Amino acid sequence: MLHPLRTLRWLYVGRLSLAAGLFAGAVLVWQNAPPVTTLLTTLLFVSAVAVTLAGWWHTHLRRRSLSRGFLYAQILFDVVAVTVAVHVTGGPRSEFPPLYIVVIAAGALLLPLPGGLIIGAVACTAYLADIVWLHAAIEQPTSVMLQIALFAVMAFVTAGLADRLRRTGTALGAVASQLEQLRLDTGDILQAIPTAIVTVDGGGRLVNLNGAGERLLGVRERDWRGKPFLEEVDRRAPGLGRCIERTVSTRQPEDRGEVRLPASYGSRILGVRTTLLERESAPWVTAVFQDITEGKKLEELKRRAERLEAVAALAASLAHEIKNPLASIRSATEQLAGTRIDDGDRDLLKSLVLNESDRLSRLLADFMEYSRVELRRRARFDLGELTSQAVELVTRHPDAASARIERSMPAEPVLVEGDADLLHRALFNLVLNAAQHAGSGGRVSVEVGRLAEAELPAGVRVRGPVRIAVLDSGPGIAPDDISRVFDPFFTTRKGGTGLGLAMVHRAVEAHRGTILVDPGLGRGAGFYVYLPSEA
């Protein structure tokens, strides 16, 4: 909808053009025009200039408000001007009556609904009065009545449309005011938030940076607003700009990213999360980041304390496991040192010493393997081929010779990244444990395959997951033992050290994976390893 001042400016221009044209015609063109015509056009021109200048001074120079009386005066003057133009150009034969429609439309735009209708009624009355009273002979009365009817219809239509536009404009103005207030409130909130927030558009140009972001990055928003910002962000916080750019290109928000500020900024660690704001051309990205250096230090101290507690508990368990074989060896040795034992007892005691020594040797060997679980080197390898090698090695182990091991490997390579030796030892222990529990004549099934992330069990979060399933036909796992199967030195198998599955658990976690257990009591246990794939 046009602004009232703009509508008035067009009205001023039209009014002066009409008055000047009529005056020029009467003076220069209409040589035989009667004196009354020249007088009317002259008066119209002078009054039009005077009224227009007065209106301009009131509205544009003094900038006074547009009162209803002022608007009525301006529109009614234009009705008079059009009536004069119609009168001096022939009345019923004039070509100027359509100008009434322009005046009626202007009145509808500038005045409320009753005012627009009033201007329409005045225009119709003025036109009819000029035709009836000042021009006695009407050659085409039907045409005149149709014109008046058209003016009346236009008054109703334009008044209704203008009123609807006015109400719509008022509603839009209220909404715009609310949006502006919301924008201001949101800006105040963003500036007050201690967490840094930066928003860039699809082209990497800065849209918004709050106060916390300015302090962390050492830049001012007003210096970069609307300019390419990602390169500058990456210079000040290496990795943050690439994180935002990656979110734009992949349309996948980052959940728990971390970037490290260089030493010149105090060697701080920033935790980063990004989110997408969809737009027609390219999405905007908002990155929320904050200094988590102190939290990381506390987290590291907590992990260190947990590791010390774990080492203490492990040492206590190891001492307990060593204590019993040593006690048996000591007792047997003391008895062997005696003189009053027969040959049968002597051989039994010697066998006991050897067996307990072997048990200690296995325990220490397994413990050393468990303590060495860490990623020493990273490389890409085919998980299917690595699993096949581990299964092949298990088939040659004495404890698994009587079990039937079946394997199902994918036709295409399944590439993962990690320590192949460590994962090979873990898979060997996992498959051997299944074969030992399956027993003589039992069956073990080993399967490797890819999964969609939607197929992952609840609570498991692995990107590009691959799964290794190891199922056995043994007795399964008792409910009370489920929570302890990965604890060091816990075992239900005679002669076991209880470190095999503990080593498997640590190796899987070192590869950012997850291992789950299906106890399968009475029908065989199942172990499921989920690892992130390289490709």
Side-chain angles (χ1 to χ4, degrees):
M1 184 175 179
L2 290 175
H3 193 275
L5 285 178
R6 188 176 302 174
T7 305
L8 276 175
R9 283 198 294 269
W10 283 108
L11 206 62
Y12 294 159
V13 171
R15 175 192 303 162
L16 291 176
S17 300
L18 175 64
L22 290 175
F23 178 71
V27 174
L28 302 176
V29 179
W30 304 330
Q31 300 294 332
N32 298 322
V36 67
T37 299
T38 304
L39 177 61
L40 286 175
T41 55
T42 302
L43 290 175
L44 176 63
F45 178 71
V46 172
S47 60
V49 172
V51 171
T52 301
L53 288 178
W56 183 272
W57 176 75
H58 179 80
T59 58
H60 290 76
L61 297 181
R62 298 183 65 189
R63 298 186 182 277
R64 295 295 182 88
S65 61
L66 301 178
S67 65
R68 189 169 298 181
F70 173 81
L71 293 175
Y72 268 113
Q74 293 290 324
I75 300 299
L76 289 175
F77 179 83
D78 288 327
V79 172
V80 173
V82 172
T83 303
V84 172
V86 170
H87 176 74
V88 299
T89 56
R93 297 181 300 275
S94 174
E95 296 179 354
F96 285 96
L99 291 179
Y100 281 117
I101 296 176
V102 177
V103 176
I104 291 171
L109 290 173
L110 293 172
L111 297 169
L113 181 61
L117 295 176
I118 290 172
I119 295 299
V122 171
C124 293
T125 303
Y127 181 53
L128 183 61
D130 178 71
I131 298 298
V132 173
W133 293 334
L134 301 180
H135 293 83
I138 303 178
E139 298 176 357
Q140 296 179 341
T142 304
S143 176
V144 172
M145 297 309 296
L146 286 175
Q147 287 179 333
I148 293 175
L150 177 61
F151 298 160
V153 171
M154 289 302 300
F156 278 101
V157 172
T158 56
L161 290 176
D163 184 65
R164 182 170 298 180
L165 285 174
R166 193 176 294 109
R167 283 183 294 171
T168 303
T170 302
L172 289 176
V175 171
S177 177
Q178 293 174 0
L179 287 176
E180 179 63 18
Q181 185 61 45
L182 179 61
R183 187 188 67 81
L184 294 174
D185 293 343
T186 303
D188 293 340
I189 293 172
L190 288 177
Q191 291 300 324
I193 290 177
T195 301
I197 302 174
V198 59
T199 301
V200 298
D201 63 17
R205 293 176 291 272
L206 179 64
V207 175
N208 181 67
L209 178 67
N210 71 343
E214 291 181 332
R215 290 188 292 273
L216 273 178
L217 298 178
V219 299
R220 293 185 301 180
E221 182 199 30
R222 64 173 179 266
D223 296 338
W224 288 92
R225 179 181 285 272
K227 299 178 181 178
F229 192 55
L230 294 184
E231 185 175 345
E232 180 67 16
V233 169
D234 235 19
R235 188 179 70 81
R236 295 175 176 270
L240 178 57
R242 290 192 298 273
C243 178
I244 297 174
E245 189 173 11
R246 187 166 56 249
T247 302
V248 173
S249 59
T250 63
R251 295 180 179 262
Q252 293 292 328
E254 296 281 340
D255 189 17
R256 295 182 180 178
E258 290 183 8
V259 298
R260 188 178 295 272
L261 293 177
S264 58
Y265 290 87
S267 187
R268 312 296 289 178
I269 302 174
L270 302 182
V272 182
R273 291 189 178 186
T274 61
T275 184
L276 285 167
L277 304 173
E278 290 296 339
R279 293 294 186 269
E280 291 183 1
S281 55
W284 290 9
V285 175
T286 294
V288 179
F289 54 100
Q290 59 183 345
D291 190 341
I292 58 172
T293 308
E294 302 304 326
K296 280 289 183 181
K297 290 180 179 178
L298 291 175
E299 186 178 333
E300 180 60 30
L301 290 174
K302 181 180 178 181
R303 282 200 299 266
R304 186 177 301 173
E306 290 175 347
R307 284 197 297 268
L308 290 175
E309 291 179 2
V311 168
L314 192 61
S317 299
L318 181 61
H320 177 75
E321 293 296 326
I322 292 176
K323 180 180 179 180
N324 292 334
L326 283 179
S328 299
I329 292 173
R330 177 184 177 87
S331 175
T333 303
E334 289 175 347
Q335 294 182 52
L336 286 172
T339 57
R340 297 180 180 181
I341 56 174
D342 55 28
D343 293 339
D345 290 339
R346 188 179 300 276
D347 292 339
L348 181 62
L349 290 173
K350 288 180 179 180
S351 176
L352 177 62
V353 170
L354 290 175
N355 290 337
E356 292 301 312
S357 298
D358 289 341
R359 181 182 173 192
L360 281 175
S361 178
R362 290 195 307 273
L363 180 63
L364 292 176
D366 288 349
F367 181 76
M368 291 178 65
E369 183 178 22
Y370 173 77
S371 64
R372 290 198 303 267
V373 174
E374 61 181 10
L375 271 71
R376 298 180 182 273
R377 55 185 178 273
R378 301 185 71 90
R380 289 181 296 174
F381 54 87
D382 182 3
L383 184 62
E385 181 180 353
L386 186 76
T387 305
S388 293
Q389 293 173 359
V391 170
E392 191 65 30
L393 190 60
V394 171
T395 59
R396 297 188 178 93
H397 195 280
D399 290 349
S402 59
R404 186 173 79 257
I405 303 178
E406 302 172 351
R407 70 190 82 171
S408 175
M409 303 297 160
E412 298 293 330
V414 178
L415 297 180
V416 298
E417 184 174 318
D419 189 331
D421 292 338
L422 174 60
L423 202 54
H424 181 275
R425 295 203 312 270
L427 293 174
F428 171 79
N429 277 305
L430 187 60
V431 178
L432 179 60
N433 176 78
Q436 289 170 339
H437 283 83
S440 179
R443 182 176 60 85
V444 176
S445 174
V446 181
E447 179 184 351
V448 177
R450 292 184 179 275
L451 287 180
E453 293 189 19
E455 299 178 277
L456 288 172
V460 177
R461 301 185 65 182
V462 176
R463 287 192 174 183
V466 295
R467 186 185 71 172
I468 307 168
V470 180
L471 313 174
D472 65 63
S473 60
I477 303 172
D480 293 341
D481 296 337
I482 289 294
S483 61
R484 303 173 60 196
V485 291
F486 296 120
D487 290 350
F489 303 111
F490 173 77
T491 182
T492 58
R493 186 177 61 85
K494 185 177 181 180
T497 60
L499 290 171
L501 289 181
M503 179 267 176
V504 171
H505 185 264
R506 288 191 63 192
V508 171
E509 285 194 333
H511 284 83
R512 295 177 291 114
T514 301
I515 182 169
L516 301 179
V517 183
D518 177 10
L521 189 60
R523 53 181 174 81
F527 289 82
Y528 301 90
V529 177
Y530 300 91
L531 296 173
S533 65
E534 187 274 334

